[in-house]
């Protein structure tokens, strides 16, 4: 962007989650159904295209979860587009009051996929809230991040 200039818009997303068995969940997600558009200082427009993703989570014995998800459509722009594929696992302890997570993400269709991104996380829950911590590490500095979330519940 240009310093001192801003643009804003809105987007419509849609998701569906289906649990055919107690050990299996499958989901679909569509982002930016209305293809939102941002104006630039030069008067041209940047259009964010629709994006679809699908995934499945498998609840295994001993408080273990394994998940796999993939882009159904490309991300990025015409000259630099890619698709992401992610694999993750979560292990719960003490009736899922504590949990540890790990994952890997690769980008296919571009040079970005040469260096996968890895994530590690942990968290816990009580009757009133849930707290989660995660770290994402990748070769590209743009993909390194710490993440913290607190969710209140009744």
């Amino acid at each position: 962007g240009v310093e001192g200039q801003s643009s804003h818009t809105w987007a419509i997303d849609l998701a569906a989650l289906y649990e055919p068995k107690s050990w299996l969940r499958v989901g679909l997600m569509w982002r930016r159904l209305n293809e939102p558009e941002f104006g630039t200082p030069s008067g041209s427009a940047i259009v964010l295209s629709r994006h679809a993703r699908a995934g499945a989570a498998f609840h295994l014995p001993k408080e273990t979860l394994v998940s796999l998800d993939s882009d159904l459509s490309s991300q990025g722009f015409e000259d630099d587009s890619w698709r992401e594929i992610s694999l993750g696992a979560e292990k719960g302890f003490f009736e899922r009051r504590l949990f540890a997570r790990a994952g890997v993400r690769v980008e296919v269709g571009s040079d970005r996929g040469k260096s996968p991104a890895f994530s590690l996380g942990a968290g816990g829950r009580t009757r009133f809230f849930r707290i989660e911590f995660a770290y994402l590490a990748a070769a590209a500095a743009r993909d390194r991040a710490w993440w913290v979330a607190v969710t209140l519940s009744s």
Side-chain angles (χ1 to χ4, degrees):
V2 176
E3 192 172 324
Q5 302 250 340
S6 66
S7 179
H8 64 278
T9 190
W10 57 277
I12 298 172
D13 299 342
L14 179 65
L17 183 64
Y18 178 57
E19 188 171 347
K21 303 283 185 184
S22 62
W23 54 268
L24 174 64
R25 285 185 181 172
V26 292
L28 288 171
M29 182 262 323
W30 298 270
R31 295 179 62 200
R32 304 181 298 264
L33 290 174
N34 60 322
E35 295 191 314
E37 186 175 302
F38 290 91
T40 65
S42 68
S44 62
I46 297 172
V47 177
L48 300 179
S49 60
R50 292 179 189 97
H51 179 65
R53 195 164 176 83
F58 304 90
H59 296 270
L60 304 177
K62 302 188 182 205
E63 302 182 60
T64 303
L65 175 75
V66 174
S67 64
L68 174 69
D69 55 278
S70 176
D71 288 341
L72 299 177
S73 58
S74 295
Q75 298 187 61
F77 299 97
E78 291 175 13
D79 58 340
D80 185 24
S81 66
W82 67 92
R83 292 178 191 231
E84 290 181 354
I85 300 171
S86 303
L87 175 67
E90 179 179 286
K91 174 68 177 154
F93 304 95
F94 309 110
E95 297 178 357
R96 297 201 34 80
R97 284 187 174 80
L98 297 175
F99 53 88
R101 293 182 180 143
V104 61
R105 181 190 76 215
V106 294
E107 296 176 354
V108 294
S110 76
D111 290 337
R112 298 169 187 235
K114 292 178 181 175
S115 301
F118 298 94
S119 61
L120 292 173
R125 68 175 171 88
T126 69
R127 183 176 171 186
F128 303 106
F129 69 93
R130 178 179 175 118
I131 187 164
E132 301 177 55
F133 302 93
Y135 178 69
L136 175 68
R142 67 173 172 77
D143 283 338
R144 293 186 192 143
W146 284 98
W147 181 74
V148 178
V150 176
T151 306
L152 300 177
S153 61
S154 56

